[in-house]
Amino acid sequence: AAGYRIIDFGISSQGQAQGTYSGNQRIFHRLYGSPEMYDLNQQVSEKSDVFSLATLLVFAATHRSPWSTDERVSSDKEVTQGIFQEVAYNIQKSEPEYYGMSTNQKMLLRRMHEKDPVKRLSAEDALKELKKLSDREFVNYLAAGAPKRPAKSVPIKVSQQNVKATAT
């Protein structure tokens, strides 16, 4: 009732985490990490989570990774080292693919997927933009003639009747 909550970016998946939980190692899911997570010379901040969230949002909406056209990315069991290397390269060097998402969604995701963390939206700004976008998208959806949400229905009492089988 209070809305969706994202609680885990998947670093607990066996074999998917990069690094270990000791010292100054960075722990992140290799399919969702930000460019700065792959570069030990860069500082990591909350904006790294914004980048990961954008990747997660694309995956949730399309069931495809914005960083690979290989459909095996959607299954942890089938992800190979070659796919991890492709994704890592694309995260750092390529532009993401948004697979037919709306123009407004793409504009927001591009700002969340900005390679330079200084230019990337903060978590607070991303949340504000996401809220504005979701409101606008819903209004556009209704304006395009989509059916309105059905009114809350009341359960109908069904009485038991004795029905005789008839010959056909």
Side-chain angles (χ1 to χ4, degrees):
Y4 296 103
R5 301 289 185 264
I6 298 172
I7 60 171
D8 180 13
F9 284 111
I11 63 169
S12 61
S13 298
Q14 185 177 12
Q16 308 303 313
Q18 178 77 26
T20 59
Y21 193 70
S22 64
N24 291 328
Q25 296 289 329
R26 296 172 186 205
I27 300 175
F28 62 102
H29 194 288
R30 295 185 286 175
L31 298 176
Y32 296 88
S34 64
E36 59 270 23
M37 292 298 259
Y38 287 95
D39 183 353
L40 296 177
N41 295 321
Q42 284 194 21
Q43 193 75 1
V44 175
S45 70
E46 71 165 24
K47 290 187 175 186
S48 186
D49 291 337
V50 170
F51 188 96
S52 297
L53 176 60
T55 299
L56 181 68
L57 291 172
V58 172
F59 189 82
T62 66
H63 200 63
R64 296 171 73 183
S65 169
W67 307 112
S68 174
T69 57
D70 194 318
E71 295 195 12
R72 292 177 293 172
V73 171
S74 64
S75 169
D76 278 348
K77 294 178 182 172
E78 296 180 13
V79 176
T80 65
Q81 189 61 33
I83 292 172
F84 283 130
Q85 290 171 347
E86 173 198 4
V87 168
Y89 177 84
N90 289 340
I91 284 172
Q92 296 172 76
K93 306 288 184 190
S94 300
E95 292 304 311
E97 176 62 50
Y98 295 128
Y99 308 107
M101 296 178 80
S102 77
T103 302
N104 291 333
Q105 291 168 335
K106 289 177 188 179
M107 287 173 28
L108 172 59
L109 290 166
R110 282 189 188 104
R111 294 177 64 205
M112 293 172 74
H113 271 147
E114 178 65 50
K115 304 284 188 203
D116 181 354
V118 173
K119 296 177 183 175
R120 193 178 305 144
L121 288 176
S122 68
E124 183 179 351
D125 289 339
L127 188 59
K128 286 177 187 174
E129 292 296 318
L130 190 58
K131 172 73 173 116
K132 285 195 289 191
L133 175 63
S134 64
D135 290 346
R136 190 177 327 126
E137 292 284 324
F138 185 66
V139 168
N140 290 342
Y141 174 75
L142 291 177
K148 295 190 183 331
R149 292 181 179 174
K152 193 171 186 176
S153 61
V154 178
I156 300 170
K157 285 188 177 182
V158 178
S159 62
Q160 242 183 346
Q161 297 176 5
N162 292 329
V163 179
K164 292 183 180 180
T166 58
T168 56

